[in-house]
Structures are given as C-alpha cells and as structure tokens.
Amino acid sequence: MKINISKLSDGEHFYTFIVKPSDLELDEKRFNKPVYVDATLEKSKRQLFLRANVYTVGRFQCDRCIEDFDMVLENSYRMYYVYSEEESKKYEPEEVVVITPETNEIDISDDVRQMVLLSVPMKLLCYEDCLGLCQRCGKNLNFETCTCKVEAIDPRWAPLLKLMERESLGNETEN
Ligand SMILES: [Zn+2]
Ligand SMILES: [Zn+2]
C-alpha cells in the first residue's frame, strides 16, 4: 500500500486500496476478507496530511457461546508527513512521520495493519445480548432452552437455599 508522492501537485488526492489480509501480515484465520482503505492525501509546501478509513471483516469466536461469527471492523486515522524534526514537534508523536524532499513514496501498510488490529474489541460477542452456554449442560442458550435452572431450584431445597443466602449476607455485613 504505497502512495507515490514524487510528482504530486498541491491539493487533495484520493486513493482506494483493496488488499489481501496476508499482504498486511494479518492472521488469515481471523482475517479472511479483503481490507479496504480509502484515503485522502492533502499536499502543501510544508507537509502531506493523510486521512484514511480502514474497513474489513474479521472472524472471531464468541466469548460467551464459543460460536464463530463475522464482525465488520472499521477504523480511521490521520498522519502528518513533514520535512523536519522541528516541524514534527507540532503533532502527536503517533500522528507524524518525518520525510525528506527525496522521499518518493509513503507506505501506509504498517499503519493500516495497526488500525485493523486496534479495531478488534476486547470483548468478543456474537451479539451484545448473547445468552452464552448453560454452565451445567453446555447447551447454546441462543438456540435452545434447557431445564437446568428449573432443576437447580428444586422446591424441596428452597428453604435451605434461603437460609444459606441469609447466612452469607450476614457474613458479608460483619466483614
Ligand atoms: Zn455468542
Ligand atoms: Zn442447561
């Protein structure tokens, strides 16, 4: 994913890239759909300013129900390409790259790769209200119901359970 800047005129330029995840060294088990990037590069005498949107689809395993699911991933970033260290101090370190007047192209592959990885949420859920698996019988509660909960509160045990609950509450307040 390289942009040739050697003969670029001042002003805005638009780019679209579609690449295979393997070209970005992304794990193909997780990322098996193309990565799309649309970018705007604004060139002026002092700098180049890039804004990019990154899209792809990842395949993950749900933390709750352990089913595989696809998730659309989206991220965006910006980057300033400047011609001196002095100039670079104006920007956040992660948003600036120093280039020279001889720089012919800028490679955005590493940044795009980072953006894809950062777009993966910490908690992976097939959907927000996923019911997960029954802790007892292992059934996927999104697709079927089980009777485990009913059995757990066997009416004969109810008074004892209540007592135990009260006991533990009592202990908590003492501490
Ligand atoms: Zn799930
Ligand atoms: Zn169950």
Side-chain angles (χ1 to χ4, degrees):
M1 261 189 238
K2 287 172 182 164
I3 299 175
N4 189 323
I5 58 166
S6 59
K7 294 184 188 97
L8 213 59
S9 57
D10 284 2
E12 280 194 331
H13 304 267
F14 304 96
Y15 304 87
T16 306
F17 298 94
I18 303 171
V19 296
K20 284 187 292 186
S22 56
D23 292 345
L24 296 174
E25 287 169 46
L26 288 164
D27 177 8
E28 279 177 279
K29 279 195 205 101
R30 280 204 143 177
F31 305 99
N32 53 19
K33 301 268 162 48
V35 178
Y36 296 83
V37 178
D38 63 67
T40 307
L41 188 64
E42 209 179 311
K43 188 183 190 294
S44 64
K45 292 279 171 288
R46 278 172 40 208
Q47 66 183 34
L48 291 132
F49 174 46
L50 178 95
R51 277 166 297 163
N53 299 311
V54 180
Y55 312 90
T56 193
V57 175
R59 186 141 188 90
F60 305 98
Q61 190 182 50
C62 177
D63 289 341
R64 273 188 209 150
C65 71
I66 69 165
E67 289 287 321
D68 287 342
F69 68 101
D70 287 333
M71 182 168 34
V72 175
L73 301 169
E74 237 184 292
N75 213 340
S76 60
Y77 76 98
R78 54 188 195 170
M79 192 64 73
Y80 294 90
Y81 298 87
V82 299
Y83 293 100
S84 71
E85 287 292 339
E86 198 53 41
E87 190 73 11
S88 74
K89 287 175 190 150
K90 290 184 190 169
Y91 305 103
E92 295 294 321
E94 66 273 15
E95 286 189 345
V96 67
V97 174
V98 178
I99 55 172
T100 70
E102 287 77 44
T103 305
N104 285 325
E105 57 184 19
I106 52 177
D107 189 348
I108 63 169
S109 305
D110 283 348
D111 293 327
V112 169
R113 178 176 188 277
Q114 278 303 316
M115 285 305 121
V116 171
L117 294 174
L118 287 172
S119 67
V120 178
M122 295 285 281
K123 201 164 181 64
L124 291 163
L125 295 178
C126 61
Y127 64 103
E128 207 164 325
D129 299 324
C130 170
L131 298 171
L133 302 177
C134 172
Q135 305 251 324
R136 239 164 241 250
C137 71
K139 275 184 184 163
N140 185 336
L141 301 175
N142 296 310
F143 304 124
E144 47 192 338
T145 47
C146 66
T147 51
C148 297
K149 280 215 176 85
V150 182
E151 281 164 19
I153 318 167
D154 185 320
R156 285 170 296 174
W157 294 104
L160 183 63
L161 285 172
K162 250 205 186 102
L163 195 70
M164 283 165 72
E165 211 171 84
R166 209 175 302 149
E167 284 278 277
S168 65
L169 282 175
N171 287 340
E172 266 167 43
T173 41
E174 268 168 36
N175 296 335

